[in-house]
Amino acid sequence: MNSFNTDEDTKKILQKYNHCRVKIYTFNQSRYPRINKESLLPVAKDVSYSGENTEAWYPPGHGDIYASFYNSGLLDTFIGEGKEYIFVSNIDNLGATVDLYILNHLMNPPNGKRCEFVMEVTNKTRADVKGGTLTQYEGKLRLVEIAQVPKAHVDEFKSVSKFKIFNTNNLWISLGAVKRLQEQNAIDMEIIVNPKTLDGGLNVIQLETAVGAAIKSFENSLGINVPRSRFLPVKTTSDLLLVISAQLSCKLLGIETVFVVPGLFCTTFSIS
């Protein structure tokens, strides 16, 4: 899933992989207008994306995947091909590989009832205190992000002893459930108000959603505590060098380990 900021660059990079026997699909998420914090009116003068209007638009967070995936036509395409689940991850998470044990659990649940939504969580450390966590409310799992926590309770939220896990954003989601909920307009996600300051000094508001927040809309949702090795975000060159160093060390020690970059946010599965 790309935004209007990254779509063209991504397509150029993907041309290098035309010879590979892997199908790589892309689709664009929505484009929303930034809101002037003082007037509460859109910053954009018109619907164009050029000139002074460039900063007036933003991608509304990864929670937009459900609507954009549906609107792109890819959801129906994959369902028509017999695919049943989509694996969603952050593109910078090099630990987000396909885990066949989790997939087997989805297809052959111990209680006989398939999960429509599985969220991978892992143990929180002091470096992860801002990560969202799972709670249970009114019989449903819910994702709570730090942006939703009142200031008086932020320190409590960051506690590694009270909230011991956080969301890796590795998600396994039923395609049929996404289609059903999207057509019923029943995917409920909390709105995150994200204040920003543009280069010119204008204070604006962005309204965003998080993909994991939809967990409460799905039936029989589940959180699975996974090893830390499934959460290896690479946001800087030094992060990448650290991962490469770990790989080389494992090879020198004769330990077999593989890190695979997830294919542009989503991987789908057909079950025979």
Side-chain angles (χ1 to χ4, degrees):
M1 179 171 74
N2 282 317
S3 74
F4 55 89
N5 291 317
T6 59
D7 187 49
E8 289 301 320
D9 288 337
T10 298
K11 287 178 179 177
K12 290 176 183 177
I13 293 294
L14 291 182
Q15 289 176 1
K16 299 179 181 179
Y17 300 92
N18 288 336
H19 64 284
C20 295
R21 296 178 59 189
V22 176
K23 292 182 179 180
I24 302 177
Y25 301 88
T26 66
F27 63 95
N28 265 356
Q29 65 181 123
S30 305
R31 187 179 72 178
Y32 281 21
R34 287 185 165 119
I35 306 298
N36 186 308
K37 189 175 182 179
E38 300 300 324
S39 67
L40 298 182
L41 294 174
V43 175
K45 300 289 193 299
D46 52 55
V47 296
S48 67
Y49 178 67
S50 59
E52 62 179 13
N53 251 5
T54 303
E55 278 197 328
W57 303 92
Y58 72 99
H62 43 56
D64 188 53
I65 186 175
Y66 303 104
S68 295
F69 187 42
Y70 179 87
N71 293 334
S72 73
L74 285 176
L75 176 62
D76 284 332
T77 297
F78 293 149
I79 290 176
E81 292 174 352
K83 295 178 172 63
E84 297 184 36
Y85 282 93
I86 185 171
F87 175 56
V88 179
S89 67
N90 290 348
I91 193 64
D92 62 9
N93 182 6
L94 301 194
T97 59
V98 174
D99 188 311
L100 296 182
Y101 290 103
I102 296 178
L103 183 58
N104 182 60
H105 182 85
L106 286 169
M107 301 310 301
N108 304 288
N111 62 0
K113 187 177 180 182
R114 286 192 182 183
C115 298
E116 290 187 345
F117 193 110
V118 168
M119 175 182 290
E120 295 183 31
V121 299
T122 196
N123 292 342
K124 183 190 287 189
T125 69
R126 296 195 181 280
D128 314 306
V129 293
K130 293 184 179 180
T133 193
L134 280 179
T135 62
Q136 193 161 29
Y137 180 72
E138 295 183 344
K140 290 276 191 177
L141 285 178
R142 293 174 181 255
L143 176 67
V144 179
E145 300 278 8
I146 192 169
Q148 300 168 271
V149 178
K151 289 183 179 180
H153 296 284
V154 167
D155 288 340
E156 188 179 7
F157 177 83
K158 290 181 177 180
S159 169
V160 296
S161 58
K162 183 159 189 176
F163 296 99
K164 299 179 180 180
I165 57 171
F166 73 98
N167 170 31
T168 65
N169 236 24
N170 298 345
L171 310 171
W172 304 73
I173 310 172
S174 163
L175 292 175
V178 173
K179 181 176 175 65
R180 181 190 77 241
L181 292 171
Q182 193 62 39
E183 292 180 346
Q184 294 174 352
N185 196 27
I187 295 182
D188 181 21
M189 294 176 286
E190 290 80 11
I191 303 297
I192 299 171
V193 180
N194 190 5
K196 295 277 187 179
T197 302
L198 302 185
D199 289 342
L202 180 66
N203 293 320
V204 299
I205 294 171
Q206 297 182 179
L207 303 180
E208 303 176 3
T209 55
V211 59
I215 189 171
K216 66 178 180 292
S217 299
F218 291 81
E219 295 299 323
N220 201 29
S221 297
L222 184 68
I224 296 181
N225 197 331
V226 298
R228 183 73 182 204
S229 58
R230 291 190 58 73
F231 184 70
L232 297 171
V234 172
K235 299 184 182 297
T236 64
T237 304
S238 58
D239 289 341
L240 181 60
L241 290 175
L242 185 62
V243 173
I244 293 174
S245 298
Q247 285 184 297
L248 292 175
S249 298
C250 287
K251 287 182 179 179
L252 290 173
L253 293 171
I255 302 171
E256 184 177 351
T257 181
V258 180
F259 296 107
V260 181
V261 179
L264 281 182
F265 207 78
C266 322
T267 306
T268 56
F269 302 97
S270 52
I271 309 301
S272 59

